[in-house]
């Protein structure tokens, strides 16, 4: 069975994968990854787990032409503001790596798929998330 | 509290010295700064040493093993690319606090070639190129594209920053490169992470720089002829911002440090005659014209288009060639910037001299984030 690429990607026994965030009950800030204290309002033990939304808009990006050895290029490194709160970073797929074709605020969907065929030392497959233009 | 003066400062010519060691590079700059001050290691009461790559390896003490083990206190600091500025500031703090009258600050780094950054393998599989990019050229490209989304800043405008800084370094014999790079060359260079082409990324080099800081009492005793006054020192971390986790913030911490530094010095950005700022990538320099208040928000593109930040312009920025062309040995950069500004304030910058320079500002960013700003003033 495929494993989640990051801890905040959840694969339930039934239903679709989703991304998990943590929301401060006091100031409503949303974080990726668990924590006990809110770095914005300093409240303690007010974090609740939430399911992040699957729709968002492109906030910023870079088209990567040179990366570390063995990493396939080019790809679009994208920063996406989710409509229901939270900001995440990932690859923008199904979009030409051409600044003319990439528009700020273009609507995207978070989709889940195999992690580009990458496997760990034990041969496990992974599920990752990607952004796809809507 | 005593005012603080820089009485000696120098840097080695940046380059690649794989056959040498980190302490050996640091020792060279330390001796050069002592010579510049006309002092010896025996006169120093403490050493503040900045280095990143060997942060757990007592670099300061190993420098003293090469230039004189007097038994003085040594503090080794590491604060990403703000490491050198942090060491300088710790030295400044010790004099302000009245602990010492004469201290030495050294910044040194030996770099490999290649890309910095990355999301790290961690557990499981590599995330680079899967969850976007953690390479430094991409991270700073994304920060630059945020400026583009707000103000329509173009690839060409970012590229002009590299043309300017590479031009400046043709007049700096201590820079890694002394080569003109016309606009077409910058724009047509290998694209690393759009909009940063290869010539828009700082150069990984080895280097070191050092400064001797003294109290007012000591400065008067030694003579003020070439002394430079430290009018302000500010160090910030990044206040909470909503995109922090995926987009390291270099703007808020710079604005906060700039405000604090201007207040401490009792001056405004309009009073500054030259600036050495953290151009780790061309996209980064664009952001800091506004962050440092050199222009209004949204006018950075215009500043580079109209030559206001070039030598001879309203406020020359990175006349040393900057990190883009002088080179960026991480731990040395924050003190090399101070060397550059002091050299202009002393009227000793030769061909690249900013005429009549009285006040200069240095700025560095350590991603993660730390911002260090110093404002320096000509005394005589």
């Amino acid at each position: 069975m495929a494993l989640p690429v990051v801890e905040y990607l959840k694969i339930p026994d039934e239903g679709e994968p989703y991304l998990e965030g943590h929301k401060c009950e006091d100031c409503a800030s949303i974080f990726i990854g668990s924590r006990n204290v809110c770095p914005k309002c300093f409240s303690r033990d007010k974090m609740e787990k939430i399911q992040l939304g699957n729709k968002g808009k492109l906030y910023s990006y870079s088209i990567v032409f040179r990366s570390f050895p063995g990493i396939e290029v080019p790809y679009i490194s994208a920063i996406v503001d989710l409509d229901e709160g939270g900001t995440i970073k990932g690859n923008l797929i199904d979009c030409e790596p051409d600044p003319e074709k990439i528009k700020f605020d273009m609507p995207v969907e978070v989709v889940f798929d195999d992690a580009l065929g990458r496997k760990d030392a034990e041969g496990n497959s992974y599920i990752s998330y990607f952004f796809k233009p809507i | 509290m005593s005012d603080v003066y820089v009485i000696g400062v120098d840097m080695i010519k940046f380059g690649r010295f794989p056959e040498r060691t980190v302490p050996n590079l640091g020792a060279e700059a330390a001796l050069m700064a002592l010579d510049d001050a006309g002092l010896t290691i025996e006169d120093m009461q403490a050493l503040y040493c900045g280095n990143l790559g060997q942060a757990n390896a007592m670099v300061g003490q190993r420098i003293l093993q090469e230039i004189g083990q007097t038994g003085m206190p040594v503090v080794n600091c590491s604060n990403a690319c703000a490491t050198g500025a942090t060491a300088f500031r710790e030295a400044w703090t010790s004099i302000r606090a009245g602990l010492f009258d004469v201290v030495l600050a050294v910044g040194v780094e030996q770099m490999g070639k290649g890309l910095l950054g990355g999301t790290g393998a961690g557990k499981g599989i590599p995330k680079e190129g899967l969850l976007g990019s953690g390479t430094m050229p991409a991270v700073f490209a994304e920060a630059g594209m945020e400026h583009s989304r707000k103000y329509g800043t173009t690839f060409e405008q970012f590229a002009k920053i590299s043309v300017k800084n590479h031009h400046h370094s043709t007049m700096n014999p201590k820079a890694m490169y002394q080569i003109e790079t016309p606009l077409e060359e910058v724009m047509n260079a290998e694209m690393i992470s759009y909009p940063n082409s290869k010539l828009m990324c700082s150069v990984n080099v080895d280097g070191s720089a050092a400064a001797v800081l003294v109290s007012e009492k000591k400065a008067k005793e030694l003579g003020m002829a070439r002394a430079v006054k430290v009018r302000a020192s500010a160090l910030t971390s990044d206040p909470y911002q909503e995109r922090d986790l995926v987009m390291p913030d270099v703007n808020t911490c710079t604005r906060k440090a700039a405000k604090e530094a201007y207040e401490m010095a009792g001056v405004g950005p309009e009073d500054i005659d030259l600036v050495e700022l953290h151009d780790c990538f061309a996209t980064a320099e664009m952001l800091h014209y506004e962050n440092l208040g050199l222009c209004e928000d949204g006018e950075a593109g215009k500043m580079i288009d109209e030559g206001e930040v070039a030598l001879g312009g309203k406020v020359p920025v990175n006349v040393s060639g900057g990190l883009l062309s002088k080179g960026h040995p991480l731990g040395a950069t924050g003190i090399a910037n101070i060397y550059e500004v002091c050299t202009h304030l002393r009227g000793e910058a030769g061909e690249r001299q900013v005429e009549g320079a009285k006040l200069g500002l240095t700025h560095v960013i350590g991603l993660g984030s730390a911002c260090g700003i110093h404002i320096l003033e000509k005394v005589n």
Side-chain angles (χ1 to χ4, degrees), chain B residues 164 168 171 270-276 307-321 337 339-361 376 378:
Chain B
K164 169 183 73 75
H168 285 161
M171 296 173 275
E270 66 284 358
D271 301 313
I272 302 291
D273 299 309
L274 80 155
V275 172
E276 286 286 305
E308 291 182 336
V309 282
L311 184 59
K314 191 177 93 179
V315 53
V317 172
N318 290 331
V319 287
S320 66
N337 285 351
Y339 161 76
E340 181 68 17
V341 167
C342 288
T343 303
H344 288 269
L345 299 176
R346 289 164 153 191
E348 298 171 1
E351 206 186 339
R352 67 183 190 285
Q353 176 69 41
V354 174
E355 289 306 325
K358 289 192 170 56
L359 267 183
L361 181 148
L376 303 156
K378 179 187 173 69

Side-chain angles (χ1 to χ4, degrees), chain A:
Chain A
M1 204 187 90
L3 302 168
V5 70
V6 283
E7 213 169 304
Y8 58 88
L9 192 161
K10 300 296 175 187
I11 307 174
D13 292 338
E14 288 175 30
E16 295 300 307
Y18 66 93
L19 297 181
E20 182 182 81
H22 287 77
K23 185 175 184 175
C24 173
E25 288 172 25
D26 281 349
C27 75
S29 296
I30 294 173
F31 304 93
I32 314 297
S34 65
R35 62 190 68 212
N36 296 323
V37 180
C38 176
K40 184 183 184 189
C41 75
F42 325 131
S43 285
R44 296 191 192 186
D45 302 320
K46 291 293 177 68
M47 288 291 168
E48 55 167 349
K49 284 181 186 172
I50 58 162
Q51 186 168 336
L52 296 173
N54 277 349
K55 299 262 165 54
K57 292 187 178 60
L58 180 70
Y59 181 73
S60 190
Y61 70 95
S62 173
I63 309 168
V64 180
F65 292 90
R66 202 203 284 184
S67 185
F68 296 118
I71 305 292
E72 199 178 321
V73 290
Y75 56 90
I76 304 166
S77 174
I79 288 164
V80 168
D81 286 345
L82 297 171
D83 294 342
E84 293 164 36
T87 298
I88 52 176
K89 183 164 173 166
N91 281 13
L92 174 62
I93 59 169
D94 291 354
C95 178
E96 273 184 66
D98 173 357
E100 296 294 317
K101 304 285 165 57
I102 307 169
K103 303 292 175 204
F104 293 118
D105 290 325
M106 63 194 262
V108 300
E109 186 180 10
V110 181
V111 296
F112 298 88
D113 205 342
D114 178 74
L116 306 176
R118 294 183 192 180
K119 290 186 166 57
D120 64 21
E122 283 87 51
N124 294 307
S125 298
Y126 283 78
I127 299 281
S128 189
Y129 66 86
F130 301 90
F131 305 123
K132 205 171 173 173
I134 299 176

